[in-house]
Amino acid sequence: MSNAELIAEAGKIVDVAGKDAPLTVRGLTVSYGNKPAVFSIDASIPAGSMTAIIGPNGAGKSTFLKGTLGVVPRLSGEVRIFGKPFAEARDRVAYVPQRASVDWDFPARVIDVVLMGLYKSVGLFRFWRSRHREQAMECLERVGMADFSTRQIGQLSGGQQQRVFLARALAQNAEFYLLDEPFAGVDAATERAIVAVLKDLKAEGRTVVCVHHDLSTVAEYFDRVLLINVRRIAEGPVDTTFTAANLQETYGGRLATTHIDELRLA
Amino acid sequence: MDDLITALGAEFVQLSLTPIVIGILAAVACALPGNFLLLRRQALIGDAISHVVLPGIVGAFLVTGAIDAFPMMIGAGCAAIVAVILIEIIKRLGRVEPGAAMGLVFTTLFAVGVLFLEITDTSSVHIDVQHALLGNLESLIWFDADGWQSLLDPAALATLPPQLPRLALVLLGIVLFIALFWKELKISTFDAAFADAIGIHTRLLGFALVVATAIAAVAAFDAVGSIIVIAMFVCPPAAARLMTNQLSRQISWSVAFAVISAILGYVFAGYGPGWFGSPYAVSAAGMIATISGLILLLTCMFGPQRKRIGQGAEA
Amino acid sequence: MSFLDYFIDALFLQAGYNSALVAIGAGLLGLAGGGAGAFIFLRKRALVSDAISHATLPGVGIAFILMVAFGGDGRWLPGLIIGSAVSSAIGLLLVEWITRQTRLTEDAAIGAVLSVFFGLGIVLLTIIQTMSSGRQAGLESFLLGSTAGMLISEATTIACAGALAAGFVFILRRPMTLVAFDPEYAATTGINVRYVDLAMMGLALIVTVIGLKIVGLILIVALLIIPSVTARFWTNQVGLMIGIAAVIGGLSGYVGAALSAAAASLPTGPIIVLVAFGFFVISALFSPLRGGLASAMRHWRFQRRVHRRQGLLALARREPIYDGLTLRILRHSGMIRRDGVATLRGRIASQKAARDEARWAMARRILSDDSAVERYDGLTPIEDMMTPDQIDEIDRVILDQNGAPA
């Protein structure tokens, strides 16, 4: 078969998975220096799903996310968001970076950060107005942070900072949410609040992808998993993919077998 | 009372008004972009840029063979941009910290400037290292002014030192840049990855900010010298950061501090020695920098938001 | 005598007693600067030295004023050096104080201290210009340095102080290496990291004040920064890097001083800086370890490997290839024809790549504790990482599972 025929055939396959799926990744490779952080990853995230990206530390989970959004340069590979290049589908995507990636000593209040999520709806050369403030307050309400709107962001706890980041993403009113370690270092109450918001998003038909590190909550929070350790190990519904064998392959010797036994596996 | 009238009379307009206004314009033009440089941990870019102004003007002189403000400003601007690009390349190539890359580039370019000055015959013309460092704020007087009414006299206004309208224009440009790209500057300074993801060209914006910085530095150095430039990039914004936790207020404070430094610095330099019985004035540029430093010292000790708080305190 | 003759004379210390002393002094100064600078560089505080050097100026001015006030000669070099040391020490402490006590970051503190101290110094210089002593001329030379017309006593002072500083670097190299490499570990071995940091800064301060007369306060920071950035291109070892930095600094100082002795119109400071920069450019481009050319080549080869591997795997899985670079690479290496159909060679290579992938996948399952699996990068053939016995074992398991050879 020639390459042209193959492209035609693969087109059919993609159609089955949903040609306009929120995320289709083919052969994504990103390297820092001369070592690939992620190598030749394929993935396709169906609409309305809630997917956890799982893998050991340094396995390239965050890099995968950043690579799909072009925040870090790609060495090779192709990324389609809703069937289009990211630049054309940007407004339908909300990205929540790791909490530790920013300087929380920045001179801003909680509401200022949420207003950043309304950037697109404000427009070039214009300023935030009172109706934007109202929208921002609604988003803070949803994550239970309305009382903190005028607080300096440096005064917040880790969990509160994470909720503010989520509120900023909600303000973007996107169809596809990509979150990098939203549960890292947050208190139990925050974790519950964030999960509730994410499940609401899913219920509204939106798509959620989280980089996640706590294997014990995967089955409870998510319906799909993408297992990554530099390569893609497996991808699919939690029931069939979140298996001891796949985890063993993903984590290698770093995950004790007894630990796997304790997980609620399929 | 009579003293005051004399102090603010015709002689004041002729000798002191324009230097003070030029000092204020230069200080504010530098302090404004300085706010963002401070928050981006690039405070020392201003330092690097003001050092490479010297090779820029020397280069322009060697090319054109004339002492003319315009080509020299172009030369200085080009040198600043070359320096910024070199710093970027060395940072990437050598994977070294920005401070080291900056120090390497600006010392080398400064050395080139000094070398050119020494080996070419520039002794006959008026460029020297001291001028680049100190400026000549005191000499920017308004010859044709004979009192406050001159401000309404087109003929007299036409003889204003050219640095004044030039700096006013640059300041206007910088104010426009910051006002128009307020959201973009704020978002990309706080969270570059998020800014990238929502479609802000963070690299381009960062470069534009550095170019604005370079323009401010180049326009200011001609009038007031490099020292004020470096001091105004850092001191007023740093002092302002310790006064408030809101970016817009920080910027207002920095403008206020810049204006106060310029006025007090000029007044102390011109009249201060007289209070101690000395007939001579001291360097106004140096004094303005000193005053801005004193303001920073005061805010470091008493500024209401001087301490890191909460999570930030651990970092 | 030509310039070259003068230069060679100066290089071999034949150009007069004074120039020889200056060259030796500059060489020792560079040695100490390179060594001390390397520690500071490794602690990522290169520009602190910029604050130190600019903060010397008020000290020079005050020392001059005091010495004149007490009826002495305002230009007495040891006095000026002490004055500059005191004021730059104050500047250094202020940088530390601002960083510790307020929310401002170190770069802001550096910028503030260097500009304000420099401004204050300029104010003092303009005061000195109005003083009646009339011997103020020469203080400006501290801005850019000047060796022309240097007194023998001054040259001797500089040479001695340079030797002293180089000696200090040598004595303190072990604790400073430990701290620069891993401060936490150094602390557990009983080293007081804070004292060592202060000692490093003290050394930078000594280099700065000695260098004022030769290189000047604006350019002296180059002697602390450029040699260490240059040395970093040649080695990943801390100890070696410090040594290389010291040698490069020493050579720059010595050769630069000799050059400027040979041509009276060449100012010493800028020449020394440019010689150091020359070493930097050569290293940045041509160092085989981290130089630009070598890095670019490595990256290019690596990208090709990635694309080739991905392309072969896509061929094996009969997947389409969209990526232009991948197609080009496969075509150039004869793996596919112009129309994208795999050649015989391409089919063989792609089968091999696919078998390798299958073996690696199985290896991750059954040999997950093996160190080779941990180092897997997606590119290295399994034969390079595992023994034939291991591969046989992997093949057997694959055979068991699939019922057919991979």
Side-chain angles (χ1 to χ4, degrees), chain B residues 33-293:
Chain B
N35 280 291
F36 291 98
L37 297 180
L38 179 85
L39 295 173
R40 288 166 172 251
R41 312 264 159 98
Q42 291 184 323
L44 289 166
I45 275 277
D47 176 31
I49 286 176
S50 29
H51 278 91
V52 303
V53 160
L54 178 75
I57 53 175
V58 176
F61 172 72
L62 291 179
V63 171
T64 63
I67 296 292
D68 193 13
F70 190 66
M72 288 200 168
M73 287 181 69
I74 301 273
C78 291
I81 289 167
V82 167
V84 169
I85 292 170
L86 272 179
I87 290 169
E88 228 13 72
I89 291 176
I90 290 174
K91 241 165 47 185
R92 298 261 168 83
L93 195 71
R95 278 163 281 163
V96 297
E97 50 142 347
M102 255 182 240
L104 191 149
V105 169
F106 81 69
T107 50
T108 301
L109 288 178
F110 194 82
V112 171
V114 175
L115 189 66
F116 277 166
L117 263 187
E118 298 282 335
I119 58 176
T120 55
D121 183 27
T122 47
S123 53
S124 57
V125 294
H126 181 71
I127 33 175
D128 56 58
V129 180
Q130 285 218 34
H131 175 221
L133 290 174
L134 306 180
N136 54 348
L137 190 55
E138 295 88 341
S139 68
L140 300 175
I141 50 179
W142 190 7
F143 278 117
D144 289 8
D146 46 11
W148 289 98
Q149 65 276 13
S150 298
L151 283 175
L152 300 171
D153 175 5
L157 282 176
T159 62
L160 274 173
Q163 284 88 348
L164 199 153
R166 200 187 295 149
L167 267 170
L169 206 65
V170 165
L171 178 59
L172 182 73
I174 286 172
V175 169
L176 275 179
F177 170 68
I178 291 178
L180 290 178
F181 294 101
W182 174 253
K183 292 194 304 297
E184 288 79 1
L185 282 168
K186 185 172 178 175
I187 296 173
S188 66
T189 302
F190 173 60
D191 189 345
F194 176 76
D196 265 330
I198 62 174
I200 296 173
H201 295 277
T202 47
R203 285 236 183 128
L204 195 64
L205 196 66
F207 190 70
L209 180 67
V210 171
V211 170
T213 305
I215 292 173
V218 170
F221 103 89
D222 179 38
V224 297
S226 298
I227 307 165
I228 298 194
V229 173
I230 310 174
M232 288 304 130
F233 277 132
V234 182
C235 292
R241 179 66 192 92
L242 305 179
M243 297 299 291
T244 173
N245 269 327
Q246 249 179 288
L247 184 56
S248 49
R249 291 194 192 152
Q250 178 190 323
I251 287 178
S252 310
W253 274 110
S254 73
V255 171
F257 287 146
V259 172
I260 294 171
S261 306
I263 295 175
L264 284 188
Y266 186 83
V267 170
F268 285 167
Y271 304 103
W275 303 335
F276 296 99
S278 164
Y280 305 101
V282 298
S283 160
M287 195 50 107
I288 293 174
T290 308
I291 298 291
S292 74

Side-chain angles (χ1 to χ4, degrees), chain C residues 249-264:
Chain C
L251 276 177
S252 310
Y254 186 76
V255 174
L259 267 175
S260 90

Side-chain angles (χ1 to χ4, degrees), chain A residues 6 29 76 105 231 253, chain C residues 103 310 318 357 365 368-369:
Chain A
L6 278 169
T29 303
S76 73
D105 199 41
R231 303 286 317 232
Chain C
R103 70 188 334 149
Q310 282 186 337
R318 320 207 96 221
E357 274 298 301
R365 267 169 205 273
S368 54
D369 295 328

